[in-house]
Amino acid sequence: MEKYEEIKLRNQLHSNDPNEIKEALVVLRDTGNEIFIDVLAGILCNTDNHEIYTLILKIFDDLKNKNAVPEIVKVLKDKSYEKEKRNLVSSCWKSGLNFSEDLDVFFEIFVKDDFSTAFEAYTVLETNIPDIKPVNARRYLSYLSEKRNKITSDRTQLASILETMLQD
């Protein structure tokens, strides 16, 4: 993407005119540029426009650019986007992107967050564990074992399933 296009899109995304924002979202949906992930997450957390909110969620759900993975992980770690964390985590498994090199954040969410967000993280873990390296499987097993007393009863069975997957 040329610098001029990037600046134009950034200006549109920060516009007070919902039509300008929607126009930029249509362009981003087609191009899938990862440099706008944090901006989109910010708008998602702060908009009261249902149409814009829905368009952004669809962009996240349909991401296919593997370069977006580190940007999404960065957003998930940033407390500024906490309000939409569950939806952002849900988009991770819906997109089908490979997060197997970045599962630390999803294990932490699984252990620490509310159940619905933890369940979304579980789904990401479940779909990505088959692609991890054995050394990482051992590390994640150790992490789950270490956090066993902090895992609430509503997810102990899910944790056991994860442990079984990691052992296989």
Side-chain angles (χ1 to χ4, degrees):
M1 175 177 290
E2 290 185 34
K3 196 67 174 169
Y4 170 77
E5 277 184 82
E6 180 185 333
I7 292 169
K8 180 182 176 198
L9 285 171
R10 283 192 189 280
N11 288 337
Q12 285 180 289
L13 289 170
H14 290 100
S15 172
N16 290 326
D17 179 1
N19 291 324
E20 285 280 317
I21 297 170
K22 288 181 223 173
E23 185 181 310
L25 292 174
V26 169
V27 171
L28 287 175
R29 185 166 174 79
D30 292 339
T31 61
N33 199 311
E34 71 277 358
I35 64 173
F36 291 97
I37 297 288
D38 61 333
V39 175
L40 293 177
I43 296 169
L44 185 70
C45 290
N46 295 307
T47 189
D48 55 359
N49 183 305
H50 181 70
E51 190 177 357
I52 289 171
Y53 182 88
T54 303
L55 282 169
I56 293 172
L57 275 182
K58 286 181 181 180
I59 290 172
F60 277 107
D61 288 353
D62 296 338
L63 279 172
K64 298 299 176 215
N65 184 343
K66 67 181 178 183
N67 295 328
V69 170
E71 298 304 316
I72 294 168
V73 169
K74 203 180 305 177
V75 162
L76 290 175
K77 290 178 178 180
D78 189 329
K79 299 291 182 209
S80 308
Y81 309 112
E82 195 75 24
K83 178 181 173 191
E84 290 298 326
K85 190 180 214 178
R86 186 185 63 76
N87 285 324
L88 291 167
V89 174
S90 176
S91 289
C92 291
W93 65 262
K94 289 176 183 175
S95 71
L97 286 169
N98 185 332
F99 288 92
S100 63
E101 295 294 317
D102 298 284
L103 293 184
D104 294 34
V105 69
F106 297 102
F107 273 101
E108 186 174 325
I109 291 168
F110 175 76
V111 171
K112 295 180 179 178
D113 284 60
D114 64 273
F115 181 77
S116 63
T117 307
F119 189 76
E120 298 295 346
Y122 168 81
T123 305
V124 175
L125 292 167
E126 182 182 46
T127 57
N128 283 271
I129 284 175
D131 297 326
I132 65 173
K133 298 172 185 163
V135 66
N136 288 337
R138 288 189 293 279
R139 186 166 56 89
Y140 295 135
L141 270 170
S142 176
Y143 176 81
L144 285 174
S145 177
E146 175 184 308
K147 300 294 181 184
R148 177 59 74 186
N149 62 342
K150 292 184 180 179
I151 296 174
T152 56
S153 61
D154 60 357
R155 62 195 89 180
T156 52
Q157 188 173 3
L158 296 174
S160 294
I161 294 168
L162 290 174
E163 288 172 334
T164 301
M165 291 178 72
L166 290 165
Q167 290 166 349
D168 290 344

